[in-house]
Amino acid sequence: MMKNARWDNEVVLDYIEQHDSDAFKKHDEKIQKAIAKQLRDDGVAIEILEKRFNLTKEEIETL
């Protein structure tokens, strides 16, 4: 069952990437910003987050 779930997930992601790359990119950006926010809240320096997530200081502060 786990194999099928993994395969299904991969198929959906492949489809999105091939047919709606803008939606895929927006989803990826949303996930990256959520991770950056969690790291910021955990005390990671803004300078590191800017570098790793390619965000501006203002974007990080408003997450």
Side-chain angles (χ1 to χ4, degrees):
M1 185 169 213
M2 290 299 289
K3 248 184 182 180
N4 289 343
R6 188 173 134 222
W7 183 84
D8 289 346
N9 189 41
E10 289 175 8
V11 169
V12 169
L13 291 176
D14 285 344
Y15 178 84
I16 291 170
E17 189 173 45
Q18 291 172 6
H19 293 86
D20 196 356
S21 62
D22 287 338
F24 188 75
K25 287 177 187 174
K26 286 179 186 177
H27 176 73
D28 189 45
E29 289 172 7
K30 183 178 177 181
I31 297 297
Q32 292 297 313
K33 286 182 178 182
I35 294 169
K37 180 183 184 308
Q38 290 173 345
L39 291 171
R40 183 205 63 197
D41 292 348
D42 286 342
V44 174
I46 289 181
E47 294 80 17
I48 293 172
L49 298 173
E50 286 177 305
K51 185 175 170 183
R52 296 291 180 223
F53 292 96
N54 198 28
L55 297 169
T56 65
K57 180 179 180 179
E58 292 78 21
E59 288 174 315
I60 294 167
E61 290 173 344
T62 60
L63 292 175

